[in-house]
Amino acid sequence: MFSKKLDAAMSKQFNMELYSSYVYLAAASYLNSKNLEGFAHWMNLQVQEELQHAAKFYHYILERDGNLVLTDVKAPPKTFKSPLAACEAALAHERKNTKQINGLMDIAIAAKDHACAAFLQWFVDEQVEEEAQTSQLVENVKMVQDSGGALFMLDRELAKRQPTPTAEEA
Ligand code: FE
Ligand code: CA
């Protein structure tokens, strides 16, 4: 069992992972509507990753006899001003999520729950990758945003992104 505070915070993070998938889904559908199918593909792979993150929390919470509380998932942004704004929204969201994951780790450490801290370390490391890749995407869009031709080329590059292997496949 988790401490009471950690139990609630784990459910909150499960919800955050679902919300993360919603943010990427909103970006994907917006980018698709702008005919940026490579960008939309990149975002859709991220949707899948976020659902995998939610699944990791689901399984771990149940494994620890935690109390998984399912609550409303907040609606993501309805639209974006530009492709750059969609990518910047994803980056801002990842930064917020990193803060929440770090706060969750603080709660696990305060509860002296070493097993939970070990579980959460994967997410601490994952957030470094998430922020780095999303930040690189934003920088790339900034470089090309005034050139339709360059944006088209970047879209073709992003279309090549492959899914990250899951733990079972790796
Ligand atoms: Fe995530
Ligand atoms: Ca990732």
Side-chain angles (χ1 to χ4, degrees):
M1 285 290 282
F2 298 122
S3 75
K4 203 174 167 200
K5 191 175 175 189
L6 183 55
D7 200 29
M10 290 292 278
S11 280
K12 188 177 170 200
Q13 187 59 37
F14 171 81
N15 182 282
M16 182 65 146
E17 299 297 344
L18 292 183
Y19 177 65
S20 300
S21 78
Y22 247 29
V23 170
Y24 283 110
L25 197 54
S29 64
Y30 166 77
L31 292 160
N32 193 280
S33 77
K34 296 290 162 193
N35 298 311
L36 291 168
E37 288 176 14
F39 277 80
H41 165 77
W42 193 98
M43 293 290 176
N44 270 314
L45 285 184
Q46 207 55 39
V47 172
Q48 296 309 315
E49 278 202 16
E50 297 306 339
L51 293 173
Q52 287 167 13
H53 296 170
K56 277 179 189 272
F57 275 94
Y58 172 86
H59 290 296
Y60 189 71
I61 290 168
L62 296 191
E63 195 178 7
R64 291 289 307 274
D65 287 328
N67 181 31
L68 178 64
V69 179
L70 302 178
T71 54
D72 288 356
V73 181
K74 198 170 88 172
K78 282 198 177 59
T79 189
F80 303 93
K81 280 202 322 280
S82 61
L84 175 61
C87 297
E88 284 176 333
L91 178 58
H93 174 70
E94 286 300 349
R95 287 178 174 156
K96 195 176 162 203
N97 190 36
T98 298
K99 285 205 180 88
Q100 189 168 307
I101 291 275
N102 287 341
L104 184 52
M105 180 63 112
D106 289 341
I107 294 168
I109 290 168
K112 297 187 165 47
D113 194 325
H114 298 277
C116 191
F119 168 78
L120 291 172
Q121 186 60 48
W122 186 91
F123 286 90
V124 171
D125 297 338
E126 173 69 7
Q127 281 312 114
V128 174
E129 178 197 271
E130 301 286 62
E131 283 199 38
Q133 72 182 10
T134 315
S135 166
Q136 194 191 347
L137 177 66
V138 166
E139 292 311 310
N140 287 349
V141 179
K142 280 183 185 165
M143 277 182 234
V144 304
Q145 63 171 334
D146 295 327
S147 156
L151 190 67
F152 176 76
M153 293 307 289
L154 178 57
D155 189 61
R156 286 177 59 166
E157 269 309 300
L158 295 174
K160 295 178 192 158
R161 182 179 171 185
Q162 298 292 318
T164 308
T166 58
E168 299 76 54
E169 290 162 353

